[in-house]
Amino acid sequence: FVAAPILPPIIINEVSWGGSQGLIKDQWIELKNLSANPIDLSHMTLVALDGGTQYIPLIGTISSRNQNISPYSGFFLVEHNTTFIPISQTFGLTDADQGVAFDLFAQSGEQLALKYFDGVSTTTLDTTPPISACNGWCGGQAIGPTGGFLAVNAQSLREQAISMERINPNASGALASNWASNDTYTNYAFGMFPVLGTPAMENSAHL
């Protein structure tokens, strides 16, 4: 008899470590609520376990997943770039977004973790794969040096930034096989800057 794994109520669902076609600083992390209830994020933190220096205390509430209310419910975006209109606000998700100028992701790869602090101890709810599992990120791509502006007229996928998506929300996030690049067809266009990813939407890798 093998016990089924205990799944966390919230997972790291997508990482846009490569930014967008317009600006490498358009980096974001998407969380997904797997439970039937809204969850307060104020006791949770996103941190880099390896390869980076991010430490992001979270604020706000992530709604439960209910497509009858909104197709974008159950998602929460943590966005680095606060210069432009946040991605989630274009969906009307003004309460499902946190803009914070966190340290930029390393293109060489990182392992991220979602941690919960109850006032006494800290619990790791979810992680992405270790850097060694994929010799870097386990999906996605960037198109320029960190912090640089990028051309807006890219002609091939090799010149476009792509997000890293979780394939199965019910499988461990630490598994390299549970991550893939966005399929480049299911995406979101923000003005001139296309995002080959699925912010506040079901991942292309999970469809």
Side-chain angles (χ1 to χ4, degrees):
F1 175 77
V2 178
I6 299 175
L7 298 173
I10 301 177
I11 59 170
I12 301 170
N13 198 49
E14 187 172 7
V15 182
S16 180
W17 60 268
S20 72
Q21 185 179 336
L23 186 64
I24 194 68
K25 290 183 179 180
D26 289 338
Q27 297 181 344
W28 43 268
I29 309 160
E30 178 192 75
L31 304 178
K32 184 176 183 178
N33 187 354
L34 301 183
S35 78
N37 301 298
I39 296 177
D40 178 13
L41 298 174
S42 63
H43 293 279
M44 300 185 192
T45 306
L46 280 166
V47 300
L49 296 181
D50 190 18
T53 56
Q54 292 80 19
Y55 181 85
I56 311 170
L58 300 179
I59 58 175
T61 300
I62 183 170
S63 64
S64 58
R65 188 83 178 101
N66 188 338
Q67 289 188 301
N68 293 325
I69 296 176
S70 168
Y72 314 116
S73 63
F75 297 103
F76 190 93
L77 296 180
V78 180
E79 299 187 60
H80 173 275
N81 192 353
T82 57
T83 304
F84 305 107
I85 299 173
I87 291 173
S88 60
Q89 285 192 21
T90 67
F91 297 124
L93 302 180
T94 54
D95 296 327
D97 176 274
Q98 180 178 341
V100 53
F102 55 78
D103 293 341
L104 292 175
F105 294 127
Q107 294 191 13
S108 55
E110 294 189 25
Q111 183 180 26
L112 304 175
L114 177 63
K115 293 178 174 286
Y116 174 80
F117 179 65
D118 63 5
V120 178
S121 60
T122 301
T123 301
T124 298
L125 297 178
D126 192 31
T127 72
T128 59
I131 297 175
S132 59
C134 299
N135 196 29
W137 296 100
C138 289
Q141 81 176 23
I143 57 173
T146 298
F149 282 88
L150 311 174
V152 247
N153 57 349
Q155 298 300 314
S156 72
L157 292 180
R158 289 178 300 175
E159 297 174 301
Q160 297 189 34
I162 300 173
S163 75
M164 181 178 82
E165 298 182 340
R166 193 179 187 128
I167 298 172
N168 183 353
N170 298 314
S172 172
L175 296 175
S177 59
N178 198 28
W179 294 87
S181 298
N182 173 265
D183 64 8
T184 74
Y185 295 102
T186 309
N187 54 61
Y188 161 69
F190 182 46
M192 295 186 299
F193 303 153
V195 175
L196 296 184
T198 51
M201 297 182 284
E202 293 291 351
N203 292 343
S204 66
H206 180 57
L207 295 177

